[in-house]
């Protein structure tokens, strides 16, 4: 496989670069998620402190009912925002990983094609038909992989987007229905 120490060193360096790139992608994704979690924790802490302060200032049951209903929509909106941010971070990491693995598949196919070219030069007469058939098969399977990959990305993205939109619509409709059915508290 290797004709010299330089080929071996180049191979090792290439693989090290791949490992570093993959690690970077994974760590960036973890960093995005951790950052979102910390941001959410700070916001929840501040919101809870404000809610406790507001509760301690309430004087009657009517004010309590109004306070409760005023807290519902912001909580729903915040939950949807958090879900959307987590989804976006996950999609970004997934896209980076997918691109990385697609690059690896393309590179592997190229290595196989180069190896087949070398094999053809040293092979007995008449084997070029079989080698050309293998090359065609590799090219065809590579194109099929690309098409399937693109279709899967599109379908996954469309499905996830539709799910997020449906959840947002359902939450808003539920909140609106709850708002219309708000009980009247005698004061």
């Amino acid at each position: 496989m290797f004709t010299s120490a330089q080929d071996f060193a180049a191979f090792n360096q290439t693989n090290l670069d791949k490992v570093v790139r993959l690690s970077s992608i994974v760590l960036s994704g973890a960093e995005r998620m951790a950052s979102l979690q910390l941001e959410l924790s700070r916001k929840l802490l501040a919101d809870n402190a404000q809610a406790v302060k507001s509760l301690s200032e309430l004087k009657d049951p009517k004010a309590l009912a109004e306070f409760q209903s005023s807290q519902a929509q912001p909580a729903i909106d915040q939950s949807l925002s958090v879900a959307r941010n987590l989804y976006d971070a996950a999609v970004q990491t997934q896209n980076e990983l997918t691109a990385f693995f697609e690059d690896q598949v393309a590179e592997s196919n190229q290595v196989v094609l180069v190896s087949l070219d070398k094999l053809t030069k040293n092979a007995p007469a008449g084997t070029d038909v079989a080698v050309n058939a293998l090359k065609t098969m590799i090219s065809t399977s590579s194109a099929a992989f690309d098409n399937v990959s693109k279709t899967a990305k599109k379908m996954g993205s469309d499905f996830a987007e539709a799910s997020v939109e449906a959840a947002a619509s359902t939450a808003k409709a539920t909140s609106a229905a709850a708002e219309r059915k708000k009980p009247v508290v005698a004061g």
Side-chain angles (χ1 to χ4, degrees), residues 116 119-120 126-137:
L116 285 174
L119 179 67
T120 303
T127 58
D128 56 337
V129 173
V131 170
N132 286 335
L134 279 173
K135 285 182 180 180
T136 302
M137 183 183 72

Side-chain angles (χ1 to χ4, degrees), residues 13-25:
Q13 183 61 45
T14 300
N15 284 332
L16 177 62
D17 291 344
K18 290 176 187 177
V19 168
V20 168
R21 181 175 168 216
L22 180 60
S23 298
S24 176
I25 291 169

Side-chain angles (χ1 to χ4, degrees), residues 50-72 179 182-187:
Q50 182 59 42
V52 168
K53 181 180 178 203
S54 296
L55 276 172
S56 68
E57 296 171 353
L58 296 177
K59 304 290 185 212
D60 59 24
K62 182 178 180 186
L64 177 61
E66 289 172 358
F67 174 77
Q68 287 175 328
S69 66
S70 72
Q71 296 299 305
E179 189 68 27
K182 194 181 343 179
V184 177
V185 177

Side-chain angles (χ1 to χ4, degrees), residues 4-183:
S4 69
Q6 291 170 336
D7 289 343
F8 184 69
F11 175 77
N12 284 336
Q13 183 61 45
T14 300
N15 284 332
L16 177 62
D17 291 344
K18 290 176 187 177
V19 168
V20 168
R21 181 175 168 216
L22 180 60
S23 298
S24 176
I25 291 169
V26 171
L27 289 175
S28 292
E31 181 181 11
R32 281 189 288 273
M33 292 294 182
S35 176
L36 287 171
Q37 287 176 337
L38 286 173
E39 183 181 316
L40 177 62
S41 296
R42 282 189 200 109
K43 175 112 175 73
L44 286 175
L45 185 59
D47 289 352
N48 286 339
Q50 182 59 42
V52 168
K53 181 180 178 203
S54 296
L55 276 172
S56 68
E57 296 171 353
L58 296 177
K59 304 290 185 212
D60 59 24
K62 182 178 180 186
L64 177 61
E66 289 172 358
F67 174 77
Q68 287 175 328
S69 66
S70 72
Q71 296 299 305
Q73 188 60 45
I76 290 170
D77 292 343
Q78 183 176 355
S79 295
L80 290 173
S81 175
V82 167
R84 182 68 170 163
N85 289 338
L86 288 171
Y87 167 76
D88 289 343
V91 165
Q92 184 177 357
T93 302
Q94 179 186 9
N95 288 341
E96 291 173 6
L97 287 170
T98 300
F100 174 81
F101 287 114
E102 286 173 349
D103 289 348
Q104 298 315 301
V105 168
E107 185 179 316
S108 295
N109 287 343
Q110 188 61 36
V111 167
V112 169
L113 291 174
V114 168
S115 296
L116 285 174
D117 284 340
K118 288 180 183 177
L119 179 67
T120 303
K121 291 177 185 175
N122 299 324
T127 58
D128 56 337
V129 173
V131 170
N132 286 335
L134 279 173
K135 285 182 180 180
T136 302
M137 183 183 72
I138 290 169
S139 296
T140 304
S141 64
S142 180
F145 173 79
D146 288 344
N147 287 335
V148 168
S149 179
K150 287 176 186 173
T151 302
K153 276 190 226 176
K154 177 77 171 130
M155 288 177 63
S157 176
D158 290 350
F159 177 75
E161 191 69 34
S163 296
V164 169
E165 292 301 321
S169 296
T170 301
K172 287 180 183 178
T174 302
S175 176
E179 189 68 27
R180 286 192 301 271
K181 293 182 180 182
K182 194 181 343 179

